Amino acid sequence: MVFEIGRVCVKIAGRDSNRRCVIVDTVDDKIVLIDGDVRRRKCNVIHLEPLDSVIKIKKGASHSEVAKEFKDLGFNVWETKPRKTAERPKKVRKVKEKPAEEEKPAKKKAEKPKKEEKKEEAEETELEKIAETEEKPKKKTVKKVAKKE
Amino acid sequence: MVAGRYKSRTLRRKKVKTPGGRLTTHYLKRKPKKAHCAECGVVLSGVPRERPYIMRNLGKTKKRPERPFGGMLCSKCSRDLIKKQARK
């Protein structure tokens, strides 16, 4: 039997082709369990090319045992790290304070002065913006003069 | 009469029925041909045939199979190559 337990092979087909693997267990005449530089999974014998060397492994050896043998021979080993799922940021809903109905007339009075205040603030911000834009070109000219000197 | 620039055979003609009920011809650009295996010349699977402006925006995994020599050799030829290298 060529495809015996412990036989080192090279995978021919698939996305992990051209990588070395060991036969860990036989499921069928045609299907075999592999491990090594490849994810631990079943594989058809047609997709394996056996090499000369045979490793001493028990039937159904774990990944760590196979990894030891491979590292002694100097081959790479495929290792999958578990994904770190980042904590999703939890949305905190803004709690609207619902006041009682008695405060409605008081609200209306409060709204009107608020609107006036908002208009004043808007005017102020506009003035500030204009002032800023006036200042900026002045600063630029100062810099240019300094460079020329 | 058809304008001279539409007589070229690099454009393909497509008959289109307009909402107004008229049958007109639209002149569309042709797609490039399918990719072939570098060794045996068989048509490669998993490689789309699109114009460059579409291929540029596709991701790398969408343009070729996820396999050594994918997009270059067919599966059979890549298998034979790997066998040869292993037997040396």
Side-chain angles (χ1 to χ4, degrees):
Chain A
M1 264 285 282
V2 184
F3 296 107
E4 57 202 347
I5 290 167
R7 168 73 65 178
V8 180
C9 311
V10 175
K11 264 213 100 192
I12 291 169
R15 70 180 85 185
D16 44 10
S17 51
N18 216 1
R19 281 198 237 154
R20 271 172 248 252
C21 57
V22 191
I23 294 173
V24 168
D25 195 3
T26 50
V27 177
D28 226 342
D29 284 348
K30 296 180 186 176
I31 298 172
V32 139
L33 228 189
I34 32 169
D35 203 345
D37 197 8
V38 152
R39 278 178 200 257
R40 193 182 177 92
R41 57 140 82 108
K42 286 185 248 175
C43 181
N44 197 329
V45 145
I46 294 168
H47 302 145
L48 296 172
E49 175 66 25
L51 297 175
D52 298 336
S53 50
V54 179
I55 296 177
K56 286 180 185 174
I57 314 175
K58 290 180 195 173
K59 184 178 174 182
S62 68
H63 179 72
S64 49
E65 291 169 22
V66 170
K68 250 191 187 180
E69 299 281 334
F70 258 54
K71 278 174 188 173
D72 291 342
L73 290 169
F75 300 150
N76 290 334
V77 178
W78 186 262
E79 272 167 33
T80 48
K81 293 175 192 174
R83 274 191 203 172
K84 285 182 188 175
T85 48
E87 279 185 22
R88 283 189 183 175
K90 285 185 182 176
K91 281 186 183 177
V92 178
R93 279 195 179 174
K94 289 178 188 175
V95 178
K96 284 185 183 176
E97 290 177 2
K98 288 185 181 178
E101 290 179 358
E102 291 173 0
E103 294 178 1
K104 271 190 182 176
K107 259 192 177 179
K108 286 183 184 176
K109 288 179 188 175
E111 280 175 4
K112 284 182 185 175
K114 275 186 188 176
K115 284 185 184 175
E116 288 173 359
E117 284 174 2
K118 279 184 187 175
K119 282 184 186 174
E120 287 175 0
E121 286 174 0
E123 286 174 1
E124 284 176 2
T125 51
E126 284 175 5
L127 288 169
E128 285 173 4
K129 282 181 188 174
I130 292 160
E132 283 176 3
T133 49
E134 283 178 356
E135 285 176 359
K136 278 179 186 174
K138 282 182 189 174
K139 284 181 186 176
K140 283 183 186 173
T141 51
V142 168
K143 282 183 186 175
K144 282 181 185 174
V145 167
K147 282 183 185 175
K148 281 179 186 175
E149 285 178 350
Chain B
M1 286 297 285
V2 178
R5 64 182 180 280
Y6 290 129
K7 291 178 189 171
S8 169
R9 299 305 285 159
T10 60
L11 303 169
R12 65 181 175 94
R13 293 96 207 273
K14 185 178 178 184
K15 304 250 176 186
V16 170
K17 192 143 196 186
T18 57
R22 267 178 286 165
L23 198 70
T24 54
T25 46
H26 280 193
Y27 297 90
L28 306 167
K29 290 189 178 170
R30 293 187 195 268
K31 277 193 191 180
K33 62 184 177 189
K34 283 206 158 194
H36 294 261
C37 175
E39 288 258 7
C40 57
V42 160
V43 168
L44 290 173
S45 59
V47 184
R49 56 183 286 244
E50 295 284 350
R51 295 205 117 235
Y53 74 99
I54 293 173
M55 288 289 263
R56 244 182 279 149
N57 294 330
L58 286 177
K60 204 159 87 172
T61 57
K62 291 187 181 171
K63 291 187 257 185
R64 52 155 178 77
E66 193 76 39
R67 188 211 301 145
F69 304 108
M72 183 80 178
L73 301 177
C74 64
S75 57
K76 204 188 171 206
C77 289
S78 62
R79 261 181 267 146
D80 294 342
L81 221 181
I82 292 167
K83 269 192 206 173
K84 260 192 197 177
Q85 287 174 355
R87 282 171 192 177
K88 274 186 184 177

